[in-house]
Amino acid sequence: MTATLIPSPPVDDRPAHRDPNVLRWLGAYTSSMIGDSVYYIALSWAAVQSGTPSQAGLVMAVSALPRALLMLGGGVIADRLGPRRVVIGSDAVRCAAVLAVAALLFFTSPGLWPLAALALVFGTVDAVFLPAVGALPARMTTRGQLARVQGMRGLAIRFAIVVGAPLGGFSVAAGGAATAFALAGLLIAVSVPLLVSVRMRELPSDEEADVRDSTAWSDLVAGLRYIRRHRVLAPLVLAIALGDLGFVGPLNVGLTLLADERGWGASGVGWILAGLGVGAGAAALLLAVRGRIPYAGHVAGSSLLLGAVAIGALAYAPGVTVAVGTALLVGLLAGLSGALCGALLQTQSDPAYLGRVTAVAGLVSLGLAPLSMPVSAAAIGVWGPGPVFVVSAAVCGLGGVVALCARDLRRAELPR
């Protein structure tokens, strides 16, 4: 089974990076992501100040459960209501919740319960926000620009990480968690009017009627069936799952444990993470500038496979300099495979199913992959970083093998 995007008049014939419609969306998305970075710093600081370290960790983890449990339902909501409406509503709810907690902290010391409630709200809203964000570009620009938009989105995420973390730390230092929450709320609020101004293409009326006449459960089942039967999306989602499962554990908690064992210290971890970020940013920039990479399926699978080899080699780097160089390579290859996989998800999916397709991919990345972090930490404690990094690399590399062995995915191309 193959799927093509439903014909629709183009929103704009200009390249995405010159399209004011896309740039308004990019500004909204970037502001929202920076607000998220500031929010997480404010939440962690307020939780540490209000409770014990274990209680603070519990507050930080509260949002993960509803996000994982409700993600598939969020994809259905995005497809039924339309991603633009869902994203605007999600940002409005997040903004109101953060500003309410900021006001509460300005006037009183409420303890951990409001923080836990805020984390719960964020996790619940994220379950519908993330699939809707993934479904927006197909309705916002032409099919040939979707890969470039994916690269631009990757650059926005990297920029938000670089800017949001120090901005959150500065706001906490200047005025405490209340000030940081207020800043986060204002940054998220900026995205709402920008999103309102973004023009969208509508799906044909027969698709809309199908959604209205069906139930949410039948929509979910139809979406899962659509992915399972699709010759490109089915192996692509599996490759993404294996790649994330092999990548998240060693490249998060594993790096800290590796640096501690080798005596590289916190500064060594910082340099290695910087290498990862620069590599991933370079891959996103490449896709944003070029707009299209030939042999996308083949390049995505090969990059995933080579990136896995680099992950395994990282555990045996003799010093910080070599580790940083290896991390740069990991970031470049993982960033390239991730950007291409995301672009293929966008271009191979029928827009009517894109929210559900994004939800399944997001559930794998944000729901299942983080489970590898405590497993990786425990395994490193028993066997050391070397064997664990190698096993993780093998899992990640298996995703590349899946992509290269699935003929339709291997031959998949990005639109011109």
Side-chain angles (χ1 to χ4, degrees):
M1 174 181 177
T2 58
T4 57
L5 290 179
I6 299 171
S8 178
V11 175
D12 202 310
D13 291 331
R14 283 175 285 190
H17 61 284
R18 297 177 183 173
D19 183 355
N21 196 51
V22 175
L23 294 178
R24 286 194 295 271
W25 163 81
L26 186 65
Y29 183 73
T30 304
S31 181
S32 181
M33 290 299 99
I34 295 174
D36 276 3
S37 295
V38 175
Y39 155 78
Y40 281 111
I41 290 175
L43 182 66
S44 61
W45 180 264
V48 168
Q49 295 298 307
S50 301
T52 65
S54 60
Q55 290 174 330
L58 185 60
V59 168
M60 296 300 295
V62 162
S63 62
L65 184 60
R67 185 170 56 209
L69 293 178
L70 303 176
M71 182 78 75
L72 294 181
V76 173
I77 293 173
D79 285 335
R80 289 176 71 89
L81 300 182
R84 177 174 176 268
R85 186 183 304 173
V86 172
V87 170
I88 292 173
S90 299
D91 271 349
V93 171
R94 294 194 304 166
C95 173
V98 173
L99 291 178
V101 171
L104 195 62
L105 290 177
F106 268 122
F107 297 108
T108 185
S109 298
L112 287 171
W113 287 109
L115 302 177
L118 178 61
L120 186 65
V121 169
F122 249 70
T124 303
V125 172
D126 273 351
V128 296
F129 174 80
L130 294 172
V133 165
L136 267 178
R139 293 168 169 82
M140 183 180 63
T141 188
T142 58
R143 187 167 182 256
Q145 295 299 316
L146 288 175
R148 178 172 275 124
V149 170
Q150 188 69 21
M152 294 166 67
R153 182 183 176 188
L155 288 174
I157 292 173
R158 294 294 158 189
F159 179 79
I161 293 173
V162 171
V163 173
L167 188 61
F170 175 78
S171 58
V172 167
T179 299
F181 276 127
L183 177 60
L186 293 175
L187 286 166
I188 296 173
V190 168
S191 69
V192 175
L194 288 173
L195 288 169
V196 169
S197 69
V198 174
R199 293 177 289 111
M200 293 286 156
R201 296 186 296 177
E202 296 294 336
L203 294 177
S205 58
D206 57 339
E207 289 286 348
E208 292 176 351
D210 289 342
V211 170
R212 287 197 300 267
D213 295 340
S214 62
T215 64
W217 177 253
S218 64
D219 284 351
L220 176 58
V221 172
L224 295 175
R225 186 185 301 118
Y226 171 75
I227 295 172
R228 180 173 58 84
R229 293 179 177 178
H230 200 291
R231 294 180 180 176
V232 174
L233 294 179
L236 179 59
V237 169
L238 179 58
I240 291 172
L242 291 169
D244 284 342
L245 284 172
F247 182 87
V248 170
L251 272 302
N252 284 274
V253 63
L255 273 182
T256 303
L257 297 174
L258 175 65
D260 182 64
E261 181 186 87
R262 300 293 179 82
W264 295 341
S267 62
V269 175
W271 281 109
I272 295 172
L273 291 175
L276 283 170
V278 170
L285 180 61
L286 174 65
L287 194 57
V289 171
R290 287 185 59 87
R292 181 181 183 274
I293 294 178
Y295 312 106
H298 195 283
V299 173
S302 300
S303 299
L304 194 55
L305 191 57
L306 293 173
V309 174
I311 290 174
L314 186 59
Y316 298 96
V320 174
T321 302
V322 176
V324 171
T326 306
L328 181 67
L329 182 61
V330 171
L332 180 63
L333 292 169
L336 183 60
S337 63
L340 287 175
C341 286
L344 287 170
L345 280 178
Q346 290 282 326
T347 55
Q348 292 291 325
S349 299
D350 187 311
Y353 292 94
L354 193 49
R356 282 162 283 182
V357 172
T358 305
V360 172
L363 176 63
V364 169
S365 299
L366 299 173
L368 299 180
L371 297 177
S372 65
M373 289 192 286
V375 175
S376 296
I380 289 173
V382 176
W383 293 293
V388 175
F389 270 66
V390 169
V391 171
S392 298
V395 174
C396 188
L398 186 58
V401 172
V402 168
L404 293 175
C405 289
R407 185 188 64 177
D408 292 275
L409 174 54
R410 184 179 67 250
R411 296 179 178 179
E413 293 279 6
L414 296 175
R416 295 184 181 274

